[in-house]
Amino acid sequence: MAEVKKLAQKHQAIFLKVDPDIPVENIDWQEAFQREGFKCVETGEGFDGVQPKYVFRLDISPDEEELMASFQQKTRYNIRLSARKGVQIVLGTKEDLPTFYQVLKETCQRDQFLVRSYQYFEDLFDCLTPPGYTRLFLAKLDGQIIAGTLLLKIGDKAWYLYGASSNTARNTMPNYLIQWEMIKWSKRQGCTLYDFRGVPGNLTEDNPIYGLYRFKKGFNGTYTEFMGEYDLVYRPFLYRLYQTLEPLYYKGVRKMIALKKKKK
């Protein structure tokens, strides 16, 4: 922490944010961060933080038959339906990245999510795919890309990092099959844990993204709440300013996205 503080002073950092991969019930870790001067940051029930606080995580150490049998009946049905409909899952290349990004933008417009720039995904692919940390998975139907995902693999863990699905051929359920193929691929790479990433903390059916929770829950993972974000503040005045202005900025961006969708 002393070395981190030196770096923070050198670069005039406002604060240090950490978001550990530690479940909320681990009180010892939370107390340790607080002793170091960190303050807990409330990030809400959805995706308001830098990383989602609530996720589904699946133990993929059992064999494929056991895993498939553990999924909910509807999930198993949709995986098999997608295969019967002729959907094929393949590994994508750098040349496929622009098409994946177009499908991702289509998804974000449909579901009113924010999307990062194409440059971000190109940098992510260039830096992390050659050493084997990421893979681009594509769902194709009659040669056309109808869905895609980016998977992150580090050690014996795999994360469903980004996902996109076209408005075309959604009845072929490509999202189910692509998840199953990612799980199987992760197992072959020696992974024992598969993280489906974010789901809402508010589990009522009137939540706008409850469908995302229902989709991921169908794979029978463990619903996990992390301990959340902790900030170590170096410049209090600028930190308070940031805390005030940042939510207003994102609120404005989301409002613009909603207006564009309404006009279409």
Side-chain angles (χ1 to χ4, degrees):
M1 293 308 304
E3 293 301 314
V4 169
K5 187 174 182 179
K6 288 178 187 177
L7 280 173
Q9 291 171 338
K10 178 181 177 182
H11 295 286
Q12 297 185 321
I14 299 172
F15 65 100
L16 167 68
K17 182 180 290 292
V18 297
D19 187 1
D21 186 358
I22 298 170
V24 69
E25 57 266 21
N26 196 321
I27 303 299
D28 290 346
W29 273 97
Q30 296 173 54
E31 291 176 348
F33 276 105
Q34 289 167 356
R35 284 196 299 271
E36 289 289 343
F38 283 87
K39 56 178 290 185
C40 181
V41 181
E42 181 57 52
T43 55
E45 295 290 326
F47 295 84
D48 297 329
V50 178
Q51 301 293 333
K53 187 177 181 182
Y54 305 89
V55 302
F56 270 116
R57 313 187 97 179
L58 179 66
D59 175 7
I60 60 172
S61 56
D63 62 39
E64 290 181 12
E65 288 187 6
E66 285 183 76
L67 281 173
M68 177 65 85
S70 72
F71 299 161
Q72 292 182 359
Q73 190 275 333
K74 186 66 173 178
T75 298
R76 296 196 303 270
Y77 175 83
N78 285 337
I79 291 171
R80 291 163 179 153
L81 172 70
S82 187
R84 288 199 305 271
K85 292 279 188 179
V87 176
Q88 294 183 317
I89 309 301
V90 299
L91 287 176
T93 65
K94 177 72 175 290
E95 287 68 34
D96 296 308
L97 201 58
T99 306
F100 166 76
Y101 187 70
Q102 288 304 314
V103 176
L104 181 61
K105 288 203 297 184
E106 196 174 327
T107 305
C108 291
Q109 289 171 359
R110 182 180 66 235
D111 298 333
Q112 297 187 32
F113 291 147
L114 299 180
V115 60
R116 295 180 184 271
S117 69
Y118 176 76
Q119 187 64 53
Y120 169 86
F121 289 93
E122 189 172 53
D123 290 345
L124 186 151
F125 192 94
D126 289 343
C127 292
L128 299 180
T129 300
Y133 293 121
T134 55
R135 285 292 183 270
L136 174 62
F137 286 77
L138 301 171
K140 291 187 174 184
L141 183 65
D142 299 326
Q144 180 182 358
I145 295 173
I146 59 172
T149 55
L150 273 168
L151 177 142
L152 172 70
K153 174 194 170 296
I154 301 176
D156 60 357
K157 294 180 182 178
W159 288 264
Y160 165 38
L161 202 56
Y162 288 99
S165 61
S166 171
N167 294 329
T168 303
R170 296 187 72 193
N171 64 329
T172 61
M173 303 296 173
N175 295 331
Y176 287 88
L177 185 60
I178 205 169
Q179 289 293 332
W180 177 231
E181 292 299 327
M182 285 199 296
I183 289 169
K184 291 194 295 183
W185 183 89
S186 300
K187 278 182 62 64
R188 292 195 297 270
Q189 304 305 310
C191 294
T192 57
L193 183 116
Y194 184 90
D195 193 320
F196 286 90
R197 296 264 294 162
V199 290
N202 173 15
L203 299 180
T204 58
E205 293 192 15
D206 59 352
N207 189 309
I209 55 174
Y210 181 78
L212 183 67
Y213 165 82
R214 188 172 55 229
F215 167 70
K216 294 180 179 181
K217 185 177 187 298
F219 291 88
N220 199 36
T222 301
Y223 184 70
T224 304
E225 178 184 355
F226 293 125
M227 60 181 280
E229 296 180 5
Y230 281 72
D231 289 354
L232 183 59
V233 180
Y234 299 114
R235 305 172 76 183
F237 172 75
L238 291 177
Y239 178 77
R240 288 194 298 272
L241 190 63
Y242 172 83
Q243 292 291 87
T244 302
L245 296 180
E246 195 240 11
L248 295 176
Y249 168 76
Y250 281 110
K251 185 178 180 180
V253 171
R254 290 189 175 94
K255 187 177 289 186
M256 287 174 59
I257 291 173
L259 286 173
K260 284 182 181 179
K261 184 177 180 181
K262 192 174 181 180
K263 287 179 181 179
K264 289 183 178 180

